[in-house]
Amino acid sequence: MRMRQLDCLGGQELSSRSVSMPVGVVVRKTPGVTKWAKWNWQAVAVLPGASQANWLEMRREDGAIEYHAGTRTLELYRTDTDAYLSGLSCEVPMLYVVMRNAGTNDELGDVDLLLVTASPYEAQDYMDSGEEMVEPIPMPVPMIAWIADFIETHHEEAVSYTHLTLPTICSV
């Protein structure tokens, strides 16, 4: 009898086609360094399993303010295990927070949280567009284990066809 393998953070069965987890995003607001940018906004941490929030102030220190800016759903898909494996093989595994400027960067709502992803390939696609800000965030240890379990359950090595010889087709 096969035991159901449940993830440690979200309670979903890891054998499904995809799993998801709510992830809170911590954004730091610091004074800008030019006259054109009053504020600098940077994603600095993630909160696995966080509840919903909307720019909830967490801490003030030396002119910087940190907010639980919002919670997004991190989804893992079994078809993307190569990307997750690549990300976990880095010296410091990262999650990627994708944000977009939605105004002048003066107000809290001027930064939209779009996505949190564990795929460095997906993050690169957003970086290539040039329209979004992509912030790499060190992945918390429990999330590394959660993603590693998902990879172990679903990863299949890609078949290489370069070593195969094809039959010769004869003309009649």
Side-chain angles (χ1 to χ4, degrees):
M1 179 169 82
R2 183 177 171 270
M3 298 274 295
R4 287 186 342 150
Q5 185 178 11
L6 298 178
D7 74 71
C8 60
L9 298 172
Q12 294 178 322
E13 190 172 348
L14 288 174
S15 62
S16 63
R17 295 176 189 260
S18 67
V19 294
S20 61
M21 174 193 307
V23 177
V25 177
V26 178
V27 173
R28 181 178 294 139
K29 173 184 171 183
T30 55
V33 293
T34 69
K35 64 181 180 180
W36 296 280
K38 185 176 178 181
W39 301 104
N40 180 48
W41 302 86
Q42 180 181 12
V44 294
V46 293
L47 307 167
S51 60
Q52 291 298 322
N54 186 24
W55 294 99
L56 175 68
E57 187 174 321
M58 297 173 63
R59 176 171 70 164
R60 286 180 182 252
E61 183 178 315
D62 299 328
I65 306 172
E66 290 185 355
Y67 299 93
H68 178 179
T71 300
R72 297 296 177 263
T73 301
L74 170 64
E75 299 231 22
L76 302 180
Y77 300 96
R78 68 181 184 174
T79 55
D80 293 339
T81 58
D82 279 333
Y84 309 140
L85 192 57
S86 176
L88 289 186
S89 68
C90 294
E91 186 174 327
V92 178
M94 299 285 183
L95 289 177
Y96 302 90
V97 175
V98 181
M99 303 181 297
R100 180 178 293 144
N101 287 331
T104 61
N105 283 340
D106 290 342
E107 304 296 327
L108 294 179
D110 285 350
V111 177
D112 285 338
L113 294 177
L114 300 180
L115 172 73
V116 176
T117 183
S119 169
Y121 305 162
E122 184 175 21
Q124 184 64 49
D125 289 343
Y126 280 100
M127 284 187 258
D128 289 346
S129 80
E131 295 180 22
E132 290 83 17
M133 299 176 288
V134 179
E135 299 283 351
I137 305 293
M139 193 180 298
V141 173
M143 292 186 82
I144 293 172
W146 180 67
I147 293 169
D149 284 347
F150 185 80
I151 292 168
E152 185 176 319
T153 302
H154 294 287
H155 185 69
E156 295 178 12
E157 288 297 324
V159 177
S160 172
Y161 295 102
T162 58
H163 68 280
L164 298 176
T165 55
L166 299 175
T168 306
I169 300 177
C170 301
S171 59
V172 180

